[in-house]
């Protein structure tokens, strides 16, 4: 099998069509909910045991707070249980109530308006994207819900996004809504990756949202292997994955705090790389390259979303990349000042730049090492920790900074 690049688009298409790796790549996408969730049977049962007994009695289920690192199955498990409730219990003879479930992703819906809009829409009420008072949306939702004799289960996924952007007032209202409902009931499931999220909440919200709590632990390598094997059977044709590929993906993702999403991404991207090359099998080498590609994308995204001055500090470290042993905080500050002035902004203090250097270190974009300089005390030496390609791509996404440094920045700054 040759690994050369295809010469024409036709050639590429021909290779793609001939490629017999993916049976169904959708099965590796993060939003696909598999029919079974290995190693989460206990959590599925726990969540069901919190919700079901109340539902069949026509009572309000306790609110549930679910937390754990990303990729530990929180969204998948919740979706799985809610789907089951929808399909089995809606208008079931076991209960005089109807059951309605809705899952709202608060990363996309991070304002009170948007969440209330989604809640209304779940009950079939169309709401314009903007324009109505939030209080009115709340009233409409409450009235309609109450007229339906319904137990409504509202899962707010990534709920920290809502609270960080818009505060916890809506959560507070929703935990109190039952005292204003005569005929219906509402219970909340709050889901978050942020283990410190509880600190953001007002004590009253914290205790009512956390009537029950479920913690999702990270998967270990063996568990990830089972999960991958299961999904790989659905996604790939038999025999196309070389031995060792799945264990390697599992092992790498286990190191990333047991993240099943990372494991699945590794396998999917490895498959895509193999496919692009027209390879007949997915190999360990493909996984290694997939890992580099994913790391790079992650770094680019991280840089893209940095605040302006943090990007400038990073750009300064980048411009000093040829310094043997790394750049000192003082040197970085000098370049930062020149950049910020050249772009026409007010500089921040050296103290603040020092803090930013520590923050960039924590997220892994740079490496800062304290070194002793004998009687001159200790100095921090700073180096870039991601690939130059990721760094330039990330900085280029900022028109102002990227344009200045990479196209037409002053030569004096580029090469000192
Ligand atoms: P979280 O919400 O905790 O960040 P997700 O539920 O989104 O994690 O899971 C991430 C990915 O891993 C999804 O594609 C999901 O389908 C998959 N996944 C997680 N746990 C399992 C499991 N036990 N079995 C199969 N797939 C899983
Ligand atoms: Mg999730």
């Amino acid at each position: 099998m040759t690994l050369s690049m295809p010469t024409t688009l036709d050639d590429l298409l021909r290779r793609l069509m001939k490629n017999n790796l993916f049976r169904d790549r959708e099965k590796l996408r993060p939003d696909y909910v598999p029919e079974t969730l290995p190693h989460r049977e206990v959590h599925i049962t726990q969540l069901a045991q919190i919700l079901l007994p109340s539902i069949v009695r026509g009572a309000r289920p306790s609110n549930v707070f679910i937390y754990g690192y990303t990729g530990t199955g929180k969204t998948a498990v919740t979706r799985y249980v809610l789907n089951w409730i929808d399909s089995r219990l809606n208008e079931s003879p076991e209960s005089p109530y109807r059951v309605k479930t809705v899952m709202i992703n608060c990363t996309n819906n991070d304002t009170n308006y948007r969440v209330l809009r989604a809640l209304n829409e779940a009950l079939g009420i169309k709401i314009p994207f903007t324009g109505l008072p939030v209080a009115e949306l709340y009233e409409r939702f409450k009235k309609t819900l109450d007229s339906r004799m319904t137990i409504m289960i509202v899962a707010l996924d990534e709920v920290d996004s809502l609270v960080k952007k818009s505060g916890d007032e809506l959560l507070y209202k929703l935990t109190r809504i039952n005292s204003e409902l005569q005929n219906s009931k509402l219970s909340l499931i709050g889901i978050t990756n942020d283990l410190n999220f509880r600190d953001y909440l007002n004590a009253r919200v914290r205790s009512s949202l956390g009537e029950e709590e479920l913690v999702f632990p990270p998967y270990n390598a063996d568990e990830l292997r089972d999960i991958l094997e299961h999904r790989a059977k659905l996604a790939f044709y038999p025999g196309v994955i070389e031995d060792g590929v799945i264990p390697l993906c599992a092992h790498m993702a286990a190191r990333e705090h047991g993240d099943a999403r990372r494991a699945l991404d590794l396998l999917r991207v490895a498959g895509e790389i193999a496919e692009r090359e027209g390879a007949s099998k997915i190999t360990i080498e493909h996984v290694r390259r997939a890992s580099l590609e994913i790391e790079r994308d992650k770094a680019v995204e991280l840089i893209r979303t940095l605040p302006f001055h943090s990007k400038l500090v990073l750009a300064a470290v980048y411009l000093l990349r040829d310094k043997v042993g790394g750049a000192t905080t003082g040197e970085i500050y000098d370049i930062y000042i020149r950049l910020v002035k050249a772009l026409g902004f007010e500089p921040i203090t050296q103290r603040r730049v020092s803090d930013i250097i520590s923050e960039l270190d924590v997220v892994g974009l740079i490496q800062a090492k304290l070194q002793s300089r004998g009687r001159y005390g200790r100095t921090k030496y700073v180096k870039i920790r991601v690939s130059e390609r990721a760094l330039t791509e990330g900085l280029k996404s900022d028109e102002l900074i990227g344009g200045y440094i990479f196209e037409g920045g002053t030569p004096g700054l580029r090469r000192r």
Side-chain angles (χ1 to χ4, degrees):
M1 182 56 48
T2 107
L3 302 185
S4 64
M5 288 294 291
T7 46
T8 64
L9 292 183
D10 276 344
D11 192 16
L12 175 62
L13 181 64
R14 192 171 46 77
R15 283 197 196 180
L16 287 177
M17 302 304 284
K18 228 176 47 184
N19 196 291
N20 290 325
L21 297 177
F22 284 102
R23 190 212 297 267
D24 182 357
R25 81 183 67 221
E26 295 306 309
K27 297 282 174 11
L28 291 178
R29 299 237 174 256
D31 44 3
Y32 169 72
V33 183
E35 269 164 39
T36 59
L37 295 165
H39 304 292
R40 281 298 179 246
E41 295 82 0
V42 170
H43 290 82
I44 291 174
T45 313
Q46 281 175 337
L47 184 56
Q49 263 167 359
I50 294 169
L51 302 175
L52 286 182
S54 304
I55 293 175
V56 298
R57 275 187 289 117
R60 176 186 77 83
S62 298
N63 296 328
V64 192
F65 186 49
I66 296 179
Y67 57 101
Y69 283 117
T70 48
T72 53
K74 300 180 299 297
T75 302
V77 163
T78 307
R79 226 178 250 289
Y80 182 96
V81 172
L82 294 189
N83 285 350
W84 186 89
I85 288 175
D86 265 341
S87 62
R88 281 297 310 279
L89 286 187
N90 210 357
E91 299 183 61
S92 86
E94 282 100 345
S95 160
Y97 285 86
R98 279 195 275 181
V99 186
K100 175 93 207 155
T101 75
V102 60
M103 186 134 172
I104 300 175
N105 185 321
C106 299
T107 314
N108 314 325
N109 297 286
D110 59 1
T111 62
N112 295 345
Y113 191 97
R114 290 208 194 120
V115 171
L116 282 165
R117 178 170 181 272
L119 287 174
N120 275 293
E121 302 228 312
L123 297 178
I125 313 166
K126 284 260 167 278
I127 301 284
F129 275 108
T130 54
L132 296 177
V134 167
E136 157 132 20
L137 295 194
Y138 178 78
E139 287 304 318
R140 276 198 208 179
F141 170 66
K142 194 175 72 187
K143 268 211 188 97
T144 316
L145 176 59
D146 211 21
S147 69
R148 300 270 173 94
M149 295 279 281
T150 293
I151 297 178
M152 186 162 189
I153 300 175
V154 176
L156 298 174
D157 201 0
E158 320 254 349
V159 62
D160 48 296
S161 301
L162 170 70
V163 173
K164 282 171 197 161
K165 171 93 181 267
S166 311
D168 63 3
E169 194 199 323
L170 179 60
L171 275 187
Y172 179 71
K173 290 201 93 161
L174 290 175
T175 58
R176 299 292 134 132
I177 196 171
N178 289 292
S179 61
E180 302 173 44
L181 296 170
Q182 317 282 317
N183 310 308
S184 291
K185 301 167 202 301
L186 180 142
S187 89
L188 282 175
I189 302 175
I191 307 172
T192 181
N193 300 327
D194 181 345
L195 306 187
N196 300 319
F197 170 65
R198 300 169 101 261
D199 302 341
Y200 290 85
L201 296 175
N202 184 312
R204 289 179 304 183
V205 180
R206 199 183 307 151
S207 62
S208 26
L209 187 59
E211 285 172 338
E212 299 279 351
E213 288 191 353
L214 284 184
V215 184
F216 280 55
Y219 292 112
N220 64 34
D222 289 340
E223 292 170 336
L224 288 171
R225 213 164 131 163
D226 289 341
I227 291 171
L228 285 175
E229 261 157 19
H230 196 262
R231 293 282 275 270
K233 278 205 192 89
L234 304 172
F236 294 104
Y237 288 110
V240 303
I241 303 180
E242 240 179 45
D243 285 352
V245 161
I246 287 185
L248 180 60
C249 294
H251 185 74
M252 286 174 150
R255 273 189 327 216
E256 278 289 308
H257 61 257
D259 182 345
R261 181 180 295 110
R262 172 55 70 93
L264 289 162
D265 281 351
L266 276 168
L267 190 60
R268 192 194 74 243
V269 175
E272 285 167 357
I273 293 174
E275 182 176 59
R276 282 205 296 271
E277 293 187 335
S280 60
K281 275 187 183 247
I282 303 168
T283 64
I284 284 181
E285 179 55 27
H286 291 134
V287 177
R288 299 212 183 280
R289 280 162 50 196
S291 169
L292 291 176
E293 209 170 278
I294 291 170
E295 281 304 324
R296 197 179 67 225
D297 290 351
K298 210 174 78 178
V300 170
E301 181 57 19
L302 207 59
I303 296 169
R304 209 179 56 74
T305 52
L306 285 177
F308 181 69
H309 290 279
S310 304
K311 279 185 191 158
L312 280 180
V313 172
L314 186 65
V317 180
Y318 166 76
L319 291 169
L320 289 162
R321 66 193 177 284
D322 292 339
K323 286 252 156 197
V324 181
T328 64
T329 313
E331 291 166 334
I332 296 168
Y333 191 64
D334 285 347
I335 298 285
Y336 160 81
I337 291 281
R338 296 175 60 169
L339 283 174
V340 96
K341 288 194 173 148
L343 293 174
F345 289 81
E346 280 298 309
I348 54 177
T349 62
Q350 178 151 7
R351 175 70 204 275
R352 182 67 197 115
V353 166
S354 265
D355 291 345
I356 290 180
I357 289 174
S358 305
E359 288 160 19
L360 295 174
D361 188 14
V362 169
V363 298
L365 291 172
I366 63 176
Q367 189 176 43
K369 261 203 192 127
L370 267 181
Q371 267 172 31
S372 167
R373 290 207 300 179
R375 61 196 183 90
Y376 300 106
R378 300 203 302 166
T379 307
K380 226 179 214 182
Y381 289 94
V382 182
K383 279 187 191 163
I384 294 290
R385 193 151 74 180
V386 293
S387 75
E388 200 162 314
R389 207 167 130 197
L391 198 108
T392 47
E393 200 179 322
L395 288 176
K396 273 182 187 166
S397 71
D398 187 298
E399 258 175 56
L400 208 56
I401 300 175
Y404 184 73
I405 294 179
F406 300 107
E407 298 148 29
T410 63
L413 264 179
R414 264 186 286 161
R415 280 272 160 239
R416 298 204 336 142

